[in-house]
Amino acid sequence: MSRTSRSFRTAAIAVVAALGLLATACGGDGGSTDSASDGKPVTIKYWTWTLGAKSTVEAFNRTHKDIKVEFTEIPSSTEGYSKLANAVKAGNAPDVATIEYQMVPEFASQGNLIDLTDYAGKTVKSKFPASVQSLVTFGGRTWTVPYDVAPQLYYYRTDLFKKYGIEVPKTWAEFTTAAAAVKKADKNVRLASMPKSDPALLAALSWQAGGKWFTTEGDAWKPGVDDAPSKKVAAYWDRLIKDDLVQSFTAYSPEETKARASGRTLSFLGASWSAGGMKTAMPDLKGKWAVAPLPNWGTAASGNYGGTSYGVLKGSRHTEAAAEFIEWLTTNRAGVEARLADLESPSSALPADPQMRPVAAAKFDTAYLGGQDLYKLASEQVDTIVPGWTWGPNQLDVYTAVQDATAKSGFGGGVTAGQRKAESGITERGLKLAR
Amino acid sequence: MAAPPAPAVKTRPRPTTKPPATSALRRSQRRAAALFVVPFFVLFAAVMVAPIGYAVWMSLFQEHSSGLGFGGTQRVFSGIGNYTKALSDAGFRDSFVHIALYCALYIPVMIGGSLLLALLLDSAMARAKRFFQLALFLPHAIPGLIASLIWIYLYTPGLSPVLDWIGALGGSWDFYSNDHVLSSMVNLCAWQWIGYNMVIFYAALQAVPREVIEAAVVDGAGALRTALRIKVPLIASALVMTVLFTCVGAIQIFTEPKLLNQRGAPSVDTEWSPTLFIWKAGFVQHDYGLAAAASLLLALLGVVLSYLVTRLGNRWKAAS
C-alpha cells in the first residue's frame, strides 16, 4: 500500500472521528433525573417573552431550594414559536415555555408538548373557569396550564375625546359615527388604527361577533375562518379603511406608537395586558388614558385577544419540577405578585384563576389610567367572552395566509384565504377534515 | 485526496548523497500536507457534505398525524413527494418569478453602477480617490439587517423625513406600493453591495498595464473609448466573477423582503422569495421535509445559474 493512500486513510479516519465528536457535542447532555435526592437542586430552563418574567424568576429562586429556574428571554409570536419548535427538534428545548392559547393545539398536535394531565390536570380542573379549561384541554388531556384571560378592552384618550366632543362608543355603529366625527374635526387625526398585520386581533374581533374559526366534530376538524360573523367583521373594517375613517399602521410598530403618543390616534383595541407597556411607551401621557369595554354588535360580548398558558416541552427531564414551577407561576399568590413587582414593565395581564385576580389588582399601579380599576373592568368582561371558540392545529400557517391576503385585498380576502389554508393544512398533515 | 503523481522510486538512476534525504523529505512533506488538508476536509464534511446529505434524507419524508392530531405524529417515507409538492405549489413557483423580475432590475443596476463608479475612480477625473473608495465601500460594512432597518425607517410614512420632504414639496411617493416596492428593494440592496463590487472592479483596473492605456491615448482614443474598449475587456474576468456572485446572492434574497413584508408592503407576501418560502415551510408550517426539498431545488437553480454565467462569461471573454 502506497504512502498516499495511507495518509489518505489517516485523513479519512480523522474526518470521521471529528464528525463523530461533533455529533456527540450536539446531542450530548448529562442525563439527570427528576429526583433531587442527591441534595442538589434541579435546574429547569424557562423561555418566555412576557412582561415581568425576570422579577418572577428571581422571586421563585429566592424562595425555592430544590428547584432552580434559569430564565431566557425569547421573541414573541412567529419567531418565538419557531425557536421553540426548532429547539424541541434539536433536543435542546427549555423545560417550561409560554404558549399562548392560540398555539396550544398546534404545539400539542406537533408533538412539542408533554401531556400534563398527571401533573397539573387536577389544578387546571379545580382552579380555572370552564371557558379557559377548554382552551388547554384537547383529546381529554391537559396540555398546558392557563395564566391569563384576555377579554378585549377599549383604550381611549380622555382629554382628546373631550376636545373633539366624542362619547365612548358602545357599539360598532357608534364607533363608525365617532370615527367620522373625528375625521371631520381634524383631517390628520383618526379615532383608531386597524392593523392589517395582526391576524390575532381580527380573530378576536371575529370571536366577539360569534365567529368560530375552528371547531371539532368527533375526531375531525371543522374550520370556519370565513364563517358569516367573521365575514361581517372583515367587511366592517374593510369599509372603515376604504372610507379613510381609521388608520392602518403596522401592528406594534414605531409609527403606530408615534401616532398614539402624538395624539394622531385617539384610541386602540387591546386587552388587560395592553396596559403594562403603556407606561414605558408613552410616559408623557400618564393620566390621559382610560379603558372601557370593547364596542359590540348590540349585546355585550368579547373575544379573547391573546392570553397565555405554560407548557412543558418535549425532551424535558424534569416534568415534575417544571409542573411545580408552573403551578407556582399561575396559581400562587407570590408568583402573581412577583410578576407585577417589575418596576419598568409590570405585567398587567388578568389572571385566569379568579382567586388570583384580587392579588394582581392590589399590586397594579392604577395611576397611569387615572386611578381606574383595570382589573375589575377586565374581570367583568371575562363573563362576556363568547363560548365555543377553538384554536386550530395549524394556527400560525392560517394567520400567515390571512395576513398575506389581507395586505393584498383587505380583511375579506384575508378570511377567505385563511379558510382555504386551514382546510389544506389539515388534510396535508393527514388530519381529518369534517365535511 | 489528490496527491502529486509519485515518481517511481524503484530504481535510483543517479545515486548521490541526497536521495535518502529527499525521500524522507517527501514522506514528511506528504504527512505535513495531509495534516494541513485535514482541517479543510473535516470542515467541508461537517458543514457542507453532512448538512446536504441530511437535507436530502429529510426531503424524502413527510410527517403525518390522524384524527384531531393529538395522538402524536408519524414519519413516513414519501420519495419525491416533497419535491412534487413544492413544484406544484403556486407560491413556490411565483417566488421564482419574483426573483427573476428582481434580478432583471437589480443585476444591471448593480453591475452597471459599480462598473461606472470604478471607471470614474480609475480615470483622472476622480481627484479624491481614497475618499470615494471609502465612502462608497462604507455601506457594505453595515450588517444587512441594520441597513434594511435604516432604509425601512426612511421608507415608512409617518417616520420618514424623506417622505416628509417630498410631502412638503407637494409630491407623494409610496415606497411600499405594488409599483414601487421592487425598486425600493433594489435600492436597498444596491446601496449595500455597490461599493463592494466597485472595489473589486477598481482593484482589477489597477492591474491593467499602464502602457496599454498610454498606447491607446497616443493612438488618439478618448477617455470614454479607452474605458469601453480597453479597460472593460481587460477586467472581463472580474466582471464575470462579480456577475456570478451577484446572481447567486440575488436568488437567495431574504432579509430585505422579510422586513418589507413585516412592514406591510402589500405585494411582498410571506413566500415572496424562495428562501422566504423555505423559511415558512420549515418554521411556520413545521414541514421540514418540504423545506429541505425546496432548499435543494433552489440550490439546483444556483448550480445551473453558476454554470450558465461561467459558460457565457467564458465565451464573452474569448470573443473580446
Side-chain angles (χ1 to χ4, degrees):
Chain A
M1 192 163 280
S2 77
R3 290 252 158 238
T4 316
S5 72
R6 186 176 297 172
S7 49
F8 175 76
R9 257 197 325 183
T10 320
I13 289 165
V15 169
V16 170
L19 276 180
L21 210 69
L22 276 173
T24 42
C26 293
D29 62 13
S32 62
T33 52
D34 226 7
S35 65
S37 53
D38 53 354
K40 274 193 219 152
V42 173
T43 302
I44 57 173
K45 285 188 288 179
Y46 168 42
W47 289 7
T48 189
W49 43 266
T50 49
L51 297 178
K54 197 164 164 262
S55 53
T56 316
V57 170
E58 280 165 4
F60 183 86
N61 285 338
R62 256 201 318 275
T63 50
H64 290 71
K65 292 255 164 346
D66 49 344
I67 303 171
K68 193 180 166 295
V69 179
E70 276 175 11
F71 153 65
T72 307
E73 186 167 346
I74 62 163
S76 63
S77 79
T78 314
E79 272 71 20
Y81 290 113
S82 40
K83 197 176 164 77
L84 284 173
N86 290 345
V88 171
K89 192 98 184 159
N92 55 10
D95 299 276
V96 178
T98 302
I99 314 284
E100 284 160 288
Y101 298 126
Q102 54 191 0
M103 287 302 294
V104 175
E106 179 160 339
F107 255 57
S109 68
Q110 294 281 357
N112 291 331
L113 292 176
I114 288 178
D115 178 355
L116 291 183
T117 315
D118 297 339
Y119 301 93
K122 268 191 203 134
T123 311
V124 171
K125 272 222 169 65
S126 62
K127 301 234 173 187
F128 296 96
S131 60
V132 178
Q133 281 182 35
S134 68
L135 296 171
V136 299
T137 313
F138 296 95
R141 319 297 297 171
T142 303
W143 295 97
T144 60
V145 182
Y147 176 67
D148 67 321
V149 265
Q152 290 171 287
L153 294 173
Y154 183 62
Y155 290 82
Y156 63 98
R157 282 283 294 273
T158 45
D159 54 336
L160 295 179
F161 265 44
K162 199 173 276 170
K163 182 183 161 193
Y164 292 109
I166 310 284
E167 291 287 314
V168 180
K170 291 193 170 52
T171 64
W172 289 115
E174 287 178 22
F175 185 87
T176 310
T177 318
V182 171
K183 187 191 172 187
K184 208 172 161 196
D186 187 337
K187 68 178 171 62
N188 293 319
V189 176
R190 293 292 179 275
L191 179 62
S193 164
M194 176 66 185
K196 289 180 180 171
S197 56
D198 188 8
L201 179 57
L202 183 69
L205 289 167
S206 301
W207 184 340
Q208 185 207 25
K212 287 178 178 56
W213 278 18
F214 288 91
T215 41
T216 55
E217 276 181 5
D219 65 342
W221 286 98
K222 190 178 179 194
V225 184
D226 63 347
D227 63 7
S230 304
K231 273 191 183 150
K232 178 174 78 173
V233 168
Y236 175 81
W237 289 103
D238 278 337
R239 186 65 205 246
L240 284 184
I241 288 175
K242 189 168 154 272
D243 293 348
D244 193 24
L245 294 181
V246 294
Q247 296 144 332
S248 187
F249 296 117
T250 303
Y252 308 105
S253 66
E255 59 267 30
E256 187 191 63
T257 309
K258 197 181 161 193
R260 264 180 217 169
S262 63
R264 282 187 291 120
T265 310
L266 303 188
S267 64
F268 69 91
L269 318 179
S272 178
W273 48 262
S274 311
M278 288 168 81
K279 204 161 84 175
T280 35
M282 302 176 283
D284 301 339
L285 297 178
K286 186 177 173 181
K288 293 181 177 167
W289 287 95
V291 57
L294 194 75
N296 58 48
W297 294 99
T299 48
S302 177
N304 225 339
Y305 179 31
T308 54
S309 67
Y310 291 92
V312 180
L313 294 178
K314 179 120 324 149
S316 167
R317 292 160 190 277
H318 310 295
T319 313
E320 211 171 301
E324 190 182 330
F325 172 57
I326 289 176
E327 200 163 320
W328 182 85
L329 274 179
T330 53
T331 58
N332 188 301
R333 201 184 163 86
V336 174
E337 282 179 345
R339 189 185 292 252
L340 279 109
D342 192 321
L343 291 178
E344 268 168 45
S345 53
S347 160
S348 61
L350 177 73
D353 178 355
Q355 289 180 320
M356 290 301 121
R357 287 180 202 160
V359 177
K363 270 272 173 185
F364 184 68
D365 177 12
T366 55
Y368 192 87
L369 293 171
Q372 203 182 352
D373 193 345
L374 171 71
Y375 281 87
K376 184 166 168 276
L377 178 73
S379 300
E380 288 162 7
Q381 299 310 305
V382 173
D383 302 330
T384 69
I385 294 178
V386 180
W389 178 279
T390 303
W391 295 103
N394 57 339
Q395 194 61 46
L396 268 187
D397 203 15
V398 170
Y399 271 167
T400 319
V402 171
Q403 191 179 338
D404 273 350
T406 303
K408 283 181 186 147
S409 54
F411 296 105
V415 292
T416 312
Q419 173 70 10
R420 266 206 309 273
K421 181 55 90 179
E423 288 173 358
S424 67
I426 285 169
T427 38
E428 268 170 29
R429 267 177 53 198
L431 304 176
K432 206 163 156 192
L433 184 70
R435 281 290 166 198
Chain B
M1 187 166 65
V9 282
K10 245 190 304 187
T11 56
R12 289 172 195 147
R14 270 196 308 146
T16 62
T17 46
K18 285 274 178 190
T22 317
S23 104
L25 185 70
R26 282 238 174 87
R27 193 177 302 167
S28 66
Q29 262 181 336
R30 278 198 200 118
R31 257 192 215 141
L35 210 65
F36 279 118
V37 171
V38 161
F40 165 76
F41 277 92
V42 170
L43 283 174
F44 183 72
V47 303
M48 289 288 293
V49 179
I52 291 175
Y54 185 50
V56 172
W57 177 252
M58 277 207 297
S59 74
L60 302 175
F61 293 89
Q62 283 175 350
E63 287 201 344
H64 269 280
S65 317
S66 57
L68 288 176
F70 297 108
T73 55
Q74 244 183 337
R75 210 147 162 264
V76 291
F77 182 78
S78 64
I80 59 160
N82 284 318
Y83 293 90
T84 51
K85 191 170 160 191
L87 290 172
S88 61
D89 190 308
F92 188 56
R93 291 199 308 262
D94 284 349
S95 72
F96 286 96
V97 176
H98 294 150
I99 54 163
L101 288 172
Y102 168 77
C103 285
L105 189 61
Y106 174 68
I107 289 171
V109 167
M110 167 56 75
I111 301 298
S114 48
L115 187 60
L116 181 72
L117 287 171
L119 287 169
L120 283 176
L121 270 189
D122 188 54
S123 75
M125 281 154 76
R127 297 277 168 231
K129 281 182 187 179
R130 287 241 161 244
F131 170 75
F132 281 112
Q133 240 179 308
L134 185 67
L136 289 165
F137 186 73
L138 214 52
H140 186 68
I142 296 169
L145 184 69
I146 308 291
S148 302
L149 286 173
I150 295 170
W151 277 102
I152 288 214
Y153 170 78
L154 293 175
Y155 287 167
T156 303
L159 288 180
S160 165
V162 178
L163 284 168
D164 289 348
W165 297 332
I166 293 175
L169 293 171
S172 75
W173 188 264
D174 182 356
F175 285 106
Y176 296 143
S177 72
N178 295 354
D179 295 337
H180 300 149
V181 74
L182 202 61
S183 56
S184 303
M185 205 184 300
V186 167
N187 172 51
L188 208 171
C189 298
W191 181 80
Q192 281 178 71
W193 284 90
I194 216 159
Y196 176 84
N197 287 332
M198 182 207 70
V199 166
I200 293 179
F201 291 149
Y202 184 71
L205 282 170
Q206 300 318 295
V208 172
R210 291 290 125 176
E211 55 268 28
V212 176
I213 294 166
E214 274 162 27
V217 173
V218 169
D219 284 350
L224 186 66
R225 192 157 176 172
T226 314
L228 292 179
R229 291 297 169 106
I230 310 290
K231 290 178 179 175
V232 172
L234 283 172
I235 61 164
S237 298
L239 256 173
V240 172
M241 184 192 77
T242 310
V243 171
L244 177 68
F245 285 167
T246 308
C247 284
V248 171
I251 63 167
Q252 296 180 48
I253 185 168
F254 180 83
T255 318
E256 293 80 6
K258 176 103 177 88
L259 278 169
L260 284 168
N261 167 259
Q262 282 178 357
R263 303 322 297 261
S267 61
V268 183
D269 57 27
T270 47
E271 42 192 38
W272 188 87
S273 74
T275 45
L276 276 177
F277 178 92
I278 293 162
W279 183 84
K280 184 174 152 182
F283 300 149
V284 174
Q285 300 167 329
H286 318 289
D287 192 342
Y288 295 95
L290 179 64
S295 304
L296 289 167
L297 289 170
L298 178 64
L300 189 69
L301 175 74
V303 169
V304 170
L305 208 60
S306 308
Y307 175 76
L308 281 179
V309 170
T310 316
R311 193 70 194 276
L312 290 173
N314 284 342
R315 198 176 291 173
W316 175 65
K317 270 193 276 183
S320 63

